[in-house]
Amino acid sequence: MARLLTLAAAGLLMVGTATAAPVKYSFDQSHTVVSFGWNHLGFSNPSARLTDFTGGVAIDETDLTQSVVQLDFRVVDIDPGHGEFFKHLMSEDFFNAKQYPTGKFISTSITKSGNNSFTVVGDLTLHGQTHPVTLNATLNKQGKHPFADKYVIGFDATGTLKRSQWGLDKYVPAVSDEITLEITTELTKPAQ
């Protein structure tokens, strides 16, 4: 989940136009996928995805390292693709959605790591705890959308985290502690 938020921040850092104030880009949810995966008892590597979220990226187009990404989500918007498993994930064994219904990611630093790549560090709040997460983001493309009158930035991001840091340690190590994050997103600049 966190990885989706972090990826958005990294892609936006590549914007090269100059303006005086940060510009808030919005997530295009129809072209954004935030997913996370784990190993299940050594037998399989299932994944789940975040189906709904709010937030965006405030891009400082004169100093990209001052940009900020924020993503807010409800835990019940995590979809593992199976109803009974969803109920188990929402239970006290895992997310405890009744007591901790929301999550949040907000970037704390963005640094350039290559021509089209960035390291995005941010705080992920989940299950009542906040810990840092690092994402490796790649700018895919930026420019005018070919079918619509809008400016778009697209990027991918990946990262890993240990779920036990957030108190989500049920069945570790049989079910992996390490969670992989994968995000692909398009962000849209507001019309001017």
Side-chain angles (χ1 to χ4, degrees):
M1 305 168 189
R3 102 185 182 197
L4 170 65
L5 301 174
T6 306
L7 290 175
L12 293 177
L13 291 177
M14 293 297 298
V15 177
T17 59
T19 61
V23 177
K24 184 175 178 184
Y25 283 67
S26 300
F27 294 113
D28 177 350
Q29 289 201 27
S30 63
H31 296 97
T32 297
V33 177
V34 177
S35 63
F36 59 99
W38 61 93
N39 181 271
H40 182 252
L41 306 172
F43 294 116
S44 63
N45 295 288
S47 63
R49 62 182 290 185
L50 187 60
T51 61
D52 193 23
F53 44 88
T54 59
V57 182
I59 304 293
D60 184 327
E61 296 175 331
T62 60
D63 184 358
L64 296 178
T65 63
Q66 299 304 307
S67 300
V68 177
V69 60
Q70 181 171 333
L71 182 133
D72 298 275
F73 58 93
R74 299 181 310 157
V75 171
V76 294
D77 290 323
I78 296 169
D79 181 9
H82 188 273
E84 288 303 312
F85 186 39
F86 170 80
K87 291 177 187 176
H88 192 197
L89 284 181
M90 296 302 112
S91 75
E92 292 180 10
D93 279 354
F94 290 101
F95 289 106
N96 194 356
K98 286 185 180 177
Q99 185 171 354
Y100 306 109
T102 62
K104 178 182 213 169
F105 174 86
I106 186 161
S107 64
T108 56
S109 72
I110 300 172
T111 57
K112 193 167 183 180
S113 56
N115 286 340
N116 290 323
S117 59
F118 297 87
T119 300
V120 179
V121 178
D123 289 332
L124 174 63
T125 300
L126 188 64
H127 203 244
Q129 300 185 39
T130 301
H131 298 287
V133 172
T134 299
L135 297 177
N136 299 309
T138 301
L139 172 68
N140 296 325
K141 184 178 180 179
Q142 63 183 31
K144 190 78 174 280
H145 193 285
F147 306 122
D149 187 23
K150 58 185 179 178
Y151 190 85
V152 177
I153 294 176
F155 63 90
D156 289 345
T158 59
T160 60
L161 59 85
K162 289 194 179 292
R163 62 187 175 96
S164 58
Q165 281 192 284
W166 285 266
L168 300 167
D169 55 1
K170 187 76 169 182
Y171 305 122
V172 171
V175 177
S176 65
D177 193 11
E178 185 172 277
I179 301 296
T180 59
L181 302 172
E182 293 185 3
I183 302 163
T184 189
T185 188
E186 293 182 19
L187 297 125
T188 304
K189 186 174 184 176
Q192 294 180 328

